[in-house]
Amino acid sequence: MPPPDIEAVAEQVFVALADPSRRAVLAELAARGPATATDLAARLPITRQAIAKHLTLLGEAGLVTAEPGERRRVRYRLRSAPMRVAQQFLAALASDWDGRLDALRDHLDG
């Protein structure tokens, strides 16, 4: 299986993280572990329907996984792998800029 397209994975992560409600859902899952949409709605100032929509988008970005639970309730668990890919993407961009900025500084100092 070919490796995932780092830029495409990073883009999905950035789109998912652009919304403050989705960041709140991720922060809650990171702090307290797996939860159902109902659990999250009880802890956050977001309706259950909105939570479900956010969880769908977070799932499409690979940031959460759905696990069947008791009584047909689905629990969502945080996945950090896509965030690590996004971090690698940003690090690669930063290193490109660091080299260019160093060259510019050397040129201006010379």
Side-chain angles (χ1 to χ4, degrees), residues 35-74:
T36 66
T38 302
D39 296 336
L40 292 166
R43 298 178 201 157
L44 297 168
I46 307 169
T47 66
R48 192 206 170 287
Q49 292 78 13
I51 293 276
K53 288 180 183 179
H54 290 307
L55 286 168
T56 297
L57 196 141
L58 291 168
E60 290 169 358
L63 293 167
V64 298
T65 57
E67 302 172 340
E70 57 197 47
R71 292 181 287 162
R72 298 171 47 192
R73 296 180 75 195
V74 177

